[in-house]
Amino acid sequence: MSKPLQIARLDANQADFGSHLDALLAWESVSDKSVNERVEEIIQAVRQRGDAAVVEYTARFDGLSVDSMDDLILDRARLELALERITADQRQALEVAAERVRSYHEKQRQDSWRYTEPSGTVLGQQITPLDRAGLYVPGGKASYPSSVLMNAVPAKVAGVPEVVMMVPTPRGEINELVLAAACLAGVDRVFTVGGAQAVAALAYGTESVPRVDKIVGPGNIYVATAKRAVFGQVGIDMIAGPSEILVVCDGQTDPDWIAMDLFSQAEHDEDAQSILLSPDAAFLDAVEASLNRLLGELERSDIVRTSLETRGALIKVDSLEQACEVSNRIAPEHLELSVADPEALLPLIRHAGAIFMGRFTPEALGDYCAGPNHVLPTSGTARFSSPLGVYDFQKRSSVIFCSPDGASDLARTASVLARGESLTAHARSAEYRIKN
Ligand SMILES: NC(=O)c1ccc[n+]([C@@H]2O[C@H](COP(=O)([O-])OP(=O)(O)OC[C@H]3O[C@@H](n4cnc5c(N)ncnc54)[C@H](O)[C@@H]3O)[C@@H](O)[C@H]2O)c1
Ligand SMILES: N[C@H](CO)Cc1c[nH]c[nH+]1
Ligand SMILES: [Zn+2]
């Protein structure tokens, strides 16, 4: 029998709960100076030496023996081949998931609008898609065909004409499902490049990689740090780092189900976070027993153990309302309300990337095929960020048309304000349009 799992047991009413929670939430490597320095060095090298640097870092970090960028480019024909190579079941699952993700995201599409004032002045907003989007699909420790769909489908729904995807293939192992998903979702070009070098290439462009307008998608600490560093040169969606799950349970769900829900995010990464809050202490014991009994059945039990022992916790609360308060403080990427009446708790939730309602809505269904996006804000950034969506691939331009009467009216107001700012040219430009 393997050694018992050392998962933190906390009580939200203990005096030192706040400091324990802060320690648990700190994603230490985020502020790790050596990561920042390494990423900065990679970005500068890619800016200065383009393809050569991308090839060099890919060989070093992904263990590939590649001579030139040609070895790292996959065109549409290769993506179509992948679609032929996967099994019929896999193709059907991808198609079902892609269709559900597409239908959900269609609802997010914003349309241009305008209105006309009595003077004949027209005001409005014109929506345009990005010209070119760069998708980062993680591939270091696991492959994510589902993340291809979650990134590419909203881009296509938004009408982005060119979608470029980066995905690492450690040791040269290509996942055909990833390429098949890219084919189905309409990705134009794939580069088998990952990490900070992929982000830098998309941000600045190289001889082979076209410079994009925005980079979206999740990734590890190197990817997240690089996205932060290139923001401004290009747009980014958010910082989507290691996965997180927070479960609020009334103690009435099968403990094995909850244990597996916690495992489901812990198995992504040693840095992933899984937290359970319940007012029922005996239930927390039961879940801990389930975690210990089921851990050995997982393929990635080593990663899961590290994740749960460093960033996991089972927390006793006084009530479900207190659980919601603690959850808001954490602002988790995924929140499961595994309770009899999730609707009653929903109004209490202010910060969460995605909210899974009731015992029959495990986060795993959202990861693959429910429809909403699984690229979500992590590390507490759900306080100010939202799920990846069609809106991330659309821009808004204001549209203003002044009729002669409308201009004359507006100019009187503008002139007063411009003179108050001592901006004479502004004032006179407006005043020329005043009717005598
Ligand atoms: N939020 C989401 O929607 C979502 C979805 C899927 C995965 N994830 C998360 O994405 C992350 C994926 O991480 P991953 O590592 O598997 O894949 P990744 O693609 O993010 O990172 C792999 C790359 O990291 C770089 N790298 C690795 N070690 C390095 C080093 N020492 N120095 C410099 N660069 C180095 C390499 O270039 C490699 O190609 C996980 O944390 C997972 O939880 C999040
Ligand atoms: N849970 C991840 C997002 O945080 C997404 C994912 C992909 N595959 C499985 N899970
Ligand atoms: Zn997941």
Side-chain angles (χ1 to χ4, degrees), residues 86-283:
I86 60 173
T87 66
D89 276 358
Q90 288 174 327
R91 181 165 180 160
Q92 199 205 359
L94 275 182
E95 283 172 351
V96 169
E99 196 37 50
R100 292 186 61 88
V101 173
R102 184 169 294 113
S103 315
Y104 179 88
H105 286 81
E106 290 281 357
K107 302 227 174 338
Q108 293 178 340
R109 199 179 13 223
Q110 303 166 0
D111 293 318
S112 302
W113 52 264
R114 53 176 57 196
Y115 62 90
T116 306
E117 296 184 334
S119 65
T121 289
V122 180
L123 301 173
Q125 188 168 268
Q126 175 162 289
I127 306 289
T128 48
L130 301 175
D131 284 345
R132 190 187 285 138
L135 315 181
Y136 188 86
V137 174
K141 294 175 189 149
S143 289
Y144 294 104
S146 53
S147 298
V148 175
L149 300 180
M150 297 293 176
N151 277 286
V153 169
K156 285 294 167 186
V157 170
V160 177
E162 193 178 349
V163 173
V164 179
M165 180 176 125
M166 293 280 175
V167 59
T169 52
R171 298 163 303 284
E173 290 157 18
I174 290 185
N175 181 322
E176 297 294 332
L177 263 181
V178 164
L179 302 189
C183 186
L184 276 180
V187 171
D188 297 285
R189 235 182 308 178
V190 175
F191 294 88
T192 52
V193 177
Q197 56 277 19
V199 173
L202 289 171
Y204 292 98
T206 67
E207 301 91 314
S208 308
V209 181
R211 185 160 72 93
V212 303
D213 300 303
K214 188 164 182 175
I215 302 172
V216 303
N220 67 9
I221 183 68
Y222 298 99
V223 175
T225 305
K227 276 174 73 180
R228 252 198 207 101
V230 300
F231 176 61
Q233 165 68 22
V234 282
I236 63 166
D237 51 345
M238 69 185 97
I239 302 299
S243 302
E244 304 161 357
I245 183 168
L246 187 149
V247 182
V248 171
C249 187
D250 55 11
Q252 299 302 310
T253 311
D254 185 328
D256 282 3
W257 291 16
I258 298 297
M260 207 49 81
D261 294 359
L262 296 172
F263 283 153
S264 76
Q265 295 315 289
E267 74 180 345
H268 277 292
D269 194 333
E270 290 88 347
D271 280 337
Q273 180 151 72
S274 308
I275 291 177
L276 168 63
L277 302 174
S278 178
D280 183 340
F283 178 71

Side-chain angles (χ1 to χ4, degrees), residues 12-67:
N13 291 302
Q14 271 167 353
D16 54 358
F17 174 66
S19 53
H20 279 301
L21 189 62
D22 288 345
L24 207 65
L25 296 180
W27 178 27
E28 265 177 50
S29 28
V30 170
S31 55
D32 186 335
K33 194 158 164 266
S34 67
V35 171
N36 285 323
E37 281 168 6
R38 183 173 301 184
V39 165
E40 198 45 49
E41 183 189 310
I42 294 171
I43 292 173
Q44 291 314 326
V46 172
R47 280 186 79 170
Q48 284 155 19
R49 296 191 291 113
D51 281 354
V54 173
V55 168
E56 213 175 280
Y57 286 121
T58 302
R60 188 190 311 170
F61 295 130
D62 290 338
L64 298 185
S65 62
V66 279
D67 300 323

